[in-house]
Amino acid sequence: MTIPQRKLGSTGITVGEIGMGGMPLSVNGRPSEEEGIRAVHAALEQGITLFDTADSYCLDSTEKGHNERLLAKALHNRPEVLIATKGGHIRPDGRWETDGRPEHLRQACEDSLRALGVEAITLYQFHRPDPKVPFAESVGAVSELQREGKIVHVGLSNVSVAQLEEARKIVTVASVQNRMNLFDHSSMDVLKRCEEYGIAFLPYSPLNGMGNAQGIGSNETLSRIARSHDASPQQIAIAWLLQLSPIILPIPGASKAVNIVNCAGASNLELSDKDVAELNGTLLKSPPNATPFKGPDPV
């Protein structure tokens, strides 16, 4: 199977319009390495060529870079693949904390280069603004790494419109990775600004988060529309994102081959205007099994 391609902003790079998030392969509840590699290879077979990771996708700081090393192993000798990684989160004793200090980001980038086994990272994203560090200092550090040739393209994650505008004064922004799905439109203003600038938008948690992905089918409207397309509720949720904007590249996380294959099937769907109107009108009012958002979202 070959899913359609989309541009990664103004980078000149094209990737499959659906990517794969690697976090579930490396955090609590993760599969064996063999099973994880099978899931990655299943994604490749579907035409997925964008894989999202981070140095913090691990159980704790003692295995920093676990997911980067896993993806590097699974995707060895695959020149058509883009592995995007992130720095700025740390995992002391398994907690999710931020560290946006320039010296930390420099070391994080160096460590990611080694974990991925590359001389330059094609897309490196500042993972999350650190309230203890001026945002411009963090972005400036990543920009310096780009000037040194260690990063090709710079992205941002978990940012506001104001932060995006501030970053654009410092560096060319290739992508923004914020939370976005049928049940969470809080980054819609960021998406619209990215459209204005031709910046790729990578919505994470496209199925409402790791703990809620299986439960979205409990929504009556979503399930009915899925049945009418002979599709799964998860496929409808991703198809909604794909039709929301041409700059969107959803990155559903998956720990099993069957799940990423199911997600890739969203590329075959075309939702009607009525479908979209019903989804927009109903789902925001009643997100199924929604887990309250507390503290930093690790994605």
Side-chain angles (χ1 to χ4, degrees):
M1 175 179 173
T2 302
I3 63 177
Q5 301 271 301
R6 286 193 177 187
K7 295 179 181 178
L8 184 69
S10 58
T11 64
I13 298 170
T14 58
V15 292
E17 67 178 5
I18 296 172
M20 178 177 176
M23 191 176 81
L25 302 176
S26 295
V27 295
N28 287 327
R30 69 192 186 193
S32 67
E33 181 178 285
E34 181 181 37
E35 291 173 310
I37 290 175
R38 271 202 300 270
V40 173
H41 288 171
L44 283 171
E45 291 169 2
Q46 301 305 302
I48 289 174
T49 55
L50 172 62
F51 292 83
D52 176 77
T53 184
D55 62 351
S56 57
Y57 292 170
C58 54
L59 296 178
D60 56 41
S61 57
T62 65
E63 57 168 31
K64 176 184 176 182
H66 179 278
N67 195 247
E68 292 173 320
R69 292 188 293 274
L70 177 63
L71 289 183
K73 181 177 181 179
L75 298 169
H76 183 62
N77 286 333
R78 293 281 188 165
E80 76 278 16
V81 162
L82 190 161
I83 301 178
T85 194
K86 300 184 288 295
H89 259 305
I90 54 175
R91 302 298 312 282
D93 299 320
R95 299 188 304 276
W96 292 93
E97 297 182 1
T98 54
D99 190 341
R101 293 174 300 139
E103 57 268 34
H104 170 76
L105 292 173
R106 174 167 291 278
Q107 186 60 56
C109 180
E110 297 282 2
D111 292 343
S112 290
L113 285 165
R114 284 190 289 272
L116 293 169
V118 296
E119 294 183 359
I121 297 169
T122 304
L123 177 60
Y124 190 83
Q125 302 167 100
F126 177 38
H127 204 155
R128 184 182 294 274
D130 183 345
K132 304 181 298 296
V133 180
F135 183 66
E137 289 186 15
S138 300
V139 175
V142 179
S143 178
E144 179 63 27
L145 289 162
Q146 184 188 43
R147 286 193 293 273
E148 294 173 9
K150 295 175 181 179
I151 295 169
V152 182
H153 299 289
V154 173
L156 305 171
S157 185
N158 296 294
V159 293
S160 66
V161 168
Q163 288 165 335
L164 172 59
E165 295 289 6
E166 184 176 3
R168 290 185 67 250
K169 296 175 182 177
I170 302 168
V171 70
T172 298
V173 178
S175 65
V176 169
Q177 183 174 326
N178 277 15
R179 183 181 175 96
M180 170 78 79
N181 56 59
L182 274 168
F183 312 102
D184 186 346
H185 294 193
S186 58
S187 285
M188 193 67 76
D189 57 342
V190 180
L191 170 63
K192 296 305 181 186
R193 194 61 57 90
C194 286
E195 287 179 333
E196 292 177 24
Y197 297 139
I199 296 171
F201 189 90
L202 283 57
Y204 71 78
S205 295
L207 300 178
N208 202 31
M210 285 175 56
N212 299 317
Q214 295 300 319
I216 64 174
S218 64
N219 182 276
E220 182 179 339
T221 301
L222 182 54
S223 292
R224 174 172 50 76
I225 292 173
R227 288 193 299 271
S228 72
H229 287 272
D230 193 23
S232 70
Q234 291 77 19
Q235 289 171 335
I236 297 298
I238 293 174
W240 176 84
L241 280 167
L242 289 171
Q243 289 185 214
L244 183 62
S245 173
I247 67 167
I248 279 184
L249 295 161
I251 46 172
S255 59
K256 297 179 181 178
V258 64
N259 291 338
I260 195 62
V261 170
N262 178 50
C263 290
S267 284
N268 297 321
L269 297 175
E270 184 71 30
L271 301 180
S272 69
D273 292 343
K274 181 182 178 183
D275 291 335
V276 172
E278 286 193 72
L279 291 169
N280 289 345
T282 302
L283 296 185
L284 280 175
K285 300 175 183 177
S286 56
N289 305 322
T291 301
F293 179 67
K294 297 178 180 179
D297 189 320
V299 178

